[in-house]
Amino acid sequence: MITFENLSFSYGDTNNLVLKNINLQINDGDFLGIIGSSGAGKTTLSYAINGIIPHHYKGEYYGKVMVDGDDVFDTEPCQLSMKIGSVFQDIDSQMTCATVEDEILFGMENFGLSKEDTIDRLEWVLKEMGIESLRDREISGLSGGQKQKVAIAAILALRPKILVLDEPTGELDPTASRNIFRIVKELNKKFGLTVIVIEQKIRLLCEFADHLAFIEKGELKFHGTVKEVLSHRNELADLGLNHDRVGKILDALADGKVLADIYAEELTRKGSFDSAQNDSVHANESILTLEKVSFGYDLNYLIENTNFTVYKGDFLALTGENGSGKSTLSKLMGGILKPENGTVMVNGLDTKKTRNSVIAKHIGFLFQNPDRQLCCYTIRDEIAFGLKALKLPDIETRTDEILARFNFDPEKAPFALSRGQRQQLALASIIAVHPEIMILDEPTTGLDYKECIELMNAIRELNQQGTTVIMVCHDMEIVRDYAKRMVIVGHGAILADGNPEELVPILESNSLKNVQYDTAENGGAK
């Protein structure tokens, strides 16, 4: 179905090859997972399949890519789109309509499907993706994870011959992530759909993929079955993949175990945090409180009558299903949103009565999309920006320390970085100012394992120095390894608050479905 012959590519007129002599064959009906570090060339490889390279991004192009008999170089993207459905990392960039239903209909109407087929596919994909309740919602009011579901639904409705997904579960909760892979696998088997998925969730990918391709520094290092690629565990570890978890996946495959059961074994171990410290955290002084807070969009409350306290030194993970209100709750905590009812207090300051510029002296906030907070021409200026705005001392020294710590090229443009690297930069600029409170909305999205661990270790170091950390996160491995406290959000309330090792299995098993709530009385579960 797809053949790469000695493909090399560099963007613009530079000599820096992003892909180097790629030779790869993807058979009809294959389910290929592409793994590798951030900036390794994975997304560029996907662009070479759907024609974005060389038709949109120009550069030095050598070799050949054949897709279903067509040479991509000589085939217009509009023709390729009749065979290939693509979901990109930046979901907002591919949204074209105002409402969810119109977004899903848009592609089918442009492809000239009959009215009957269009309606049938619309109803099918809404149900399969679990987004029937979003049908009439405006896309601008959806969470990042909900937008991701809609984008995937719009492509699946087209029933392409080839499906290319770039980090499709990056902003999805564990249940939704597995559901996406389940749907794609069913289409792969039922219709012979050829699937190429770029993914950082290696365990989940390995459960569904037939083959893996490992890309590093633009080169195809390994390609084969899941077992064959993971058997290079030492080489993969040297190249940045998590050696321990790769080993567990490989051992499970060798023993004939179901990969979904691996966590059951891991949950018997203790996490990397100090459980005694976790038990005593509530004895500390409160630094942020919510009292009877309600907030909503379109006249509907998303957060309702919620009471909540964050203590100095907390390392708190906010978890829950997509659209449960995690990001909204984090923005209320950070003063970006003001409660319609109730009070949010940050270090003794009422966010309703305090200017955001004053609150910003206490809180560093990382948004889901790092591009919304990058504003400078060079990485050096980006890191120094917050230091200058807050008029902090030793700006040059602090900037140099962050540049060295994250191994950034100071003169490089922020938007020349990969999505994962831009995420790193946005967070590094927050770390530079040493805020009292850090609120992080999905900080590890788009990062490879090595980058993720470096980033989380930097956050934990700040936490150990006294910074309070509030982190919205869907990656339960990160939550278990770093958080001292875990809160599950849903139905406008705090559903559970406690030790991550006790709550992670509950969230992953989706055991909260039958919990009864009484938000009017206590803002939480009965």
Side-chain angles (χ1 to χ4, degrees), residues 129-142:
M129 293 296 295
I131 56 174
E132 292 167 293
S133 62
L134 303 181
R135 183 173 188 156
D136 299 319
R137 290 276 302 275
E138 290 190 6
I139 288 173
S140 60
L142 301 181

Side-chain angles (χ1 to χ4, degrees), residues 379-434:
I379 291 175
R380 175 181 289 280
D381 289 342
E382 192 66 53
I383 293 171
F385 182 83
L387 296 167
K388 292 176 180 177
L390 295 174
K391 298 180 180 179
L392 296 175
D394 304 320
I395 292 175
E396 189 171 340
T397 301
R398 287 198 192 189
T399 301
D400 287 339
E401 287 175 354
I402 293 294
L403 288 169
R405 178 167 201 162
F406 290 90
N407 197 29
F408 287 132
D409 178 349
E411 301 310 317
K412 194 168 186 176
F415 287 95
L417 302 175
S418 69
R419 204 286 190 179
Q421 290 167 332
R422 296 199 302 276
Q423 185 88 344
Q424 255 191 327
L425 175 59
L427 186 51
S429 65
I430 295 171
I431 290 174
V433 304
H434 294 281

Side-chain angles (χ1 to χ4, degrees), residues 220-241:
L220 178 61
K221 296 292 186 180
F222 305 110
H223 174 236
T225 65
V226 172
K227 286 184 180 180
E228 288 170 345
V229 172
L230 295 187
S231 66
H232 300 278
R233 64 172 78 180
N234 291 325
E235 297 98 314
L236 293 172
D238 291 340
L239 294 169
L241 245 62

Side-chain angles (χ1 to χ4, degrees), residues 56-74:
H56 180 69
Y57 290 119
K58 306 297 183 180
E60 298 297 316
Y61 185 102
Y62 307 94
K64 180 187 291 187
V65 181
M66 301 294 294
V67 175
D68 196 24
D70 295 327
D71 188 331
V72 170
F73 193 89
D74 299 322

